[in-house]
Amino acid sequence: MRGRLLTVEQVAERLGTSVRFPRRLISERRITFVHVGRHVRIPEGELEDFIAHHTTNPISRRYGRRGPDA
């Protein structure tokens, strides 16, 4: 584990979502989490990995023989 342990509310704020989304990720076990007593925490590094894994890069546009000005 890397970094701080984040609350569900902190994760939701970083993702720009409601609290329901990170809770669903936890319940579906799509993200690594830690139980601290009755509380659930997500390691900061795991959140960064989750974001990186689900990031889609743009496709570079391919042009024909004439190029983009044709």
Side-chain angles (χ1 to χ4, degrees), residues 3-66:
R4 303 178 327 162
L5 294 176
L6 304 173
T7 66
V8 174
E9 291 79 11
Q10 290 171 320
V11 172
E13 185 177 327
R14 285 211 183 166
L15 293 175
T17 65
S18 69
V19 174
R20 187 174 182 177
F21 180 67
R23 288 193 190 280
R24 192 173 84 217
L25 293 176
I26 292 165
S27 71
E28 294 173 357
R29 296 185 183 258
R30 292 172 49 200
I31 193 166
T32 302
F33 62 94
V34 178
H35 274 178
V36 180
R38 294 181 358 189
H39 304 283
V40 174
R41 299 290 185 260
I42 297 174
E44 191 171 32
E46 294 297 331
L47 177 61
E48 291 169 4
D49 290 347
F50 178 84
I51 292 169
H53 181 73
H54 289 87
T55 299
T56 303
N57 294 321
I59 298 173
S60 61
R61 188 162 183 185
R62 294 184 181 177
Y63 296 102
R65 290 183 170 179
R66 293 182 165 184

